Amino acid sequence: MTFSPRTPVVVGVGELTRRGKSVADPIDLASEAARRALQDAGAEIGRRIDTVATPGILLIPRDNPASRIAETTGLTPQHRISCPVGGNTPQYLVERLGNRIWRGDSDAVLIVGAESGASARRITSSDAPLDPTAVARRDESLGDARPGLSESEMRAGLYWPHQVYPIFESAMAARAGRTFDEQRRWLGGLMAPFTLEASRHPEKSWFPRSYSADELSAVSPANRMVCEPYPKLLNSIIAVDMAAAFVLVAAEVAEELRVPRDRWVFPWSAATCNDVYYPLQRPDLGRSAGIKAAGDAALDASRLSIDDVTWFDFYSCFPSAVEAAIDAFDLDTADARGFTVTGGLPYHGGPGNNYVSHSIAEMVRRCRSEPDAVGLVSGVGWYITKHSLGLWSATPPPNGWQTPDMVQAQSTIDATSLAVASLADATGRATIDGYTVVHDRDHGPSWVPVFARLTDGRRVAARNDEAEVAIAMSKEMMVGHPVTVRGGDEHVEFELS
């Protein structure tokens, strides 16, 4: 098969999972993963790297991390890119930097990231701070830097993913006719295969153990409830020391450097699309228009259907993200292909914005082992908000490298945004569209945030801090239940009607 000499192709991947009691600097972890990726290519490609790009480092962050990684690994790239928050970032960078390669603006890029969350937990006030030397230049930025939540959502006490993703889950459970308890038991069956996959990668997974559905869903001292319906084992874990990297080059550069063809894996197509940006304004809390639009566009651009895909790695920070992808592609939850090649963020480990670098690395290895097969990787940023999806194969793309224009699709999604009631005028009857019950570690159900729809169609984020209400709302499904809301001094309050 012939293909353009400017077709982007991955030629090297590298990963690192470091366990131990010593503190690991994320720059050191990322640099080692980069060295492994460069070595994996089987050719001297370091001198041709003109761009180093890194997803944002969340724990033990470093200023100008792309420059630090480049200097630590002895690379001299012209472009050094450090990205804002977004779990979609690695696949997004494939799209954006792949286009630079396709246009001839770049020859070879290194995409690399790391998290030192486990080390961050070991650092105490008595520890000497890590003090890297200054870098000579400031990194460029690439990606959407908007915060993930609106002022209205934060006023209601929502600050963290583990509080927001269960709100989506409640809408999904209600659509299926399940209570929180029933949904939790059902989720055990959905996520147990992820743990089995993680157990197959003991040298890479942070939690390489297989769990049964009952073990995942049963609430116990070792599996405490966090936010209904998710106990601890259904939450992703960022407290890991992990790094991953991959090298993307123009095909003609790979040929020039004599990279063995058994190293080559091609991105066929890539697409990025957002849902309505802030969760409170989405018309349907239980579905993702952004995943559907980007996924359909990537498949159409490569002239494939979902039945042509051999492997999936759906972003899996929380089960609702997996369910949103399954729904967007109209798949059966029992699909024999499975939905992860790594074990996912809760079990492989969730290294912040860089998880998808790990899933791409594993997908590359799968494609090398079966050159005619095609894999699909999805990445999610913030709260099922930013979506970047890509198709991968060791066979050159028969339709060429494709990045479909998503402007019209994005405009259509944005036009569905709901109006939000302000603190001053959020008063009256409303209906719950989604909620969770936040549990205190020691005392159980503690407080409840809700997304509710006023009678005029505006959405409101409200909360109730009464433990009795939290207990009641954890026992039966309250999506669709009427409430009364009123603006308080600092946030909107609600009472059950």
Side-chain angles (χ1 to χ4, degrees), residues 322-398:
V322 179
E323 293 163 84
I326 292 171
D327 175 76
F329 289 109
D330 195 24
L331 294 168
D332 189 321
T333 56
D335 193 302
R337 291 171 291 184
F339 304 116
T340 182
V341 296
T342 67
L345 283 87
Y347 316 113
H348 164 273
N353 300 314
N354 196 52
Y355 165 77
V356 173
S357 292
H358 292 269
S359 61
I360 288 174
E362 179 58 28
M363 192 63 78
V364 165
R365 286 188 283 264
R366 296 276 183 112
C367 291
R368 286 171 174 171
S369 69
E370 296 185 37
D372 294 332
V374 176
L376 187 153
V377 169
S378 76
V380 173
W382 284 125
Y383 305 96
I384 314 188
T385 306
K386 301 186 285 188
H387 307 287
S388 295
L389 291 89
L391 294 167
W392 296 83
S393 179
T395 298

Side-chain angles (χ1 to χ4, degrees), residues 113-360:
E115 282 293 345
S116 292
S119 289
R121 295 179 64 175
R122 291 193 289 269
I123 296 176
T124 67
S125 58
S126 62
D127 289 323
L130 299 172
D131 185 24
T133 58
V135 294
R137 57 189 291 180
R138 187 175 182 81
D139 291 348
E140 306 167 43
S141 182
L142 184 61
D144 192 333
R146 285 179 289 174
L149 294 171
S150 66
E151 181 180 349
S152 295
E153 290 154 327
M154 290 187 285
R155 279 184 180 274
L158 299 171
Y159 299 105
W160 305 107
H162 72 269
Q163 298 168 332
V164 178
Y165 277 85
I167 294 177
F168 305 140
E169 192 69 56
S170 72
M172 296 171 179
R175 186 171 68 233
R178 304 188 188 105
T179 65
F180 273 148
D181 282 346
E182 291 167 340
Q183 186 72 1
R184 187 179 69 254
R185 290 192 289 270
W186 182 85
L187 290 173
L190 176 69
M191 301 306 292
F194 282 67
T195 72
L196 178 60
E197 190 61 53
S199 73
R200 293 168 175 157
H201 307 271
E203 74 288 358
K204 298 183 179 71
S205 297
W206 197 255
F207 302 106
R209 172 189 165 181
S210 177
Y211 288 88
S212 70
D214 288 344
E215 287 175 315
L216 292 180
S217 61
V219 178
S220 67
N223 191 30
R224 64 181 177 85
M225 181 57 69
V226 180
C227 293
E228 296 276 359
Y230 295 157
K232 183 179 178 181
L233 289 176
L234 295 181
N235 287 257
S236 64
I237 303 298
I238 196 175
V240 299
D241 288 345
M242 304 176 79
F246 56 98
V247 180
L248 188 69
V249 305
E252 64 182 359
V253 174
E255 288 181 337
E256 175 191 338
L257 297 177
R258 297 183 180 179
V259 176
R261 285 298 295 267
D262 64 1
R263 303 286 86 193
W264 295 30
V265 173
F266 297 86
W268 278 23
S269 58
T272 291
C273 192
N274 295 341
D275 272 280
V276 170
Y277 200 84
Y278 294 121
L280 183 62
Q281 296 177 266
R282 293 178 197 161
D284 189 337
L285 298 176
R287 288 192 161 98
S288 172
I291 294 176
K292 180 169 177 55
D296 287 351
L299 287 167
D300 290 347
S302 292
R303 299 176 185 171
L304 295 178
S305 75
I306 199 67
D307 294 335
D308 296 317
V309 177
T310 302
W311 307 291
F312 300 103
D313 198 84
F314 289 152
Y315 201 79
S316 53
C317 51
F318 297 89
S320 55
V322 179
E323 293 163 84
I326 292 171
D327 175 76
F329 289 109
D330 195 24
L331 294 168
D332 189 321
T333 56
D335 193 302
R337 291 171 291 184
F339 304 116
T340 182
V341 296
T342 67
L345 283 87
Y347 316 113
H348 164 273
N353 300 314
N354 196 52
Y355 165 77
V356 173
S357 292
H358 292 269
S359 61
I360 288 174

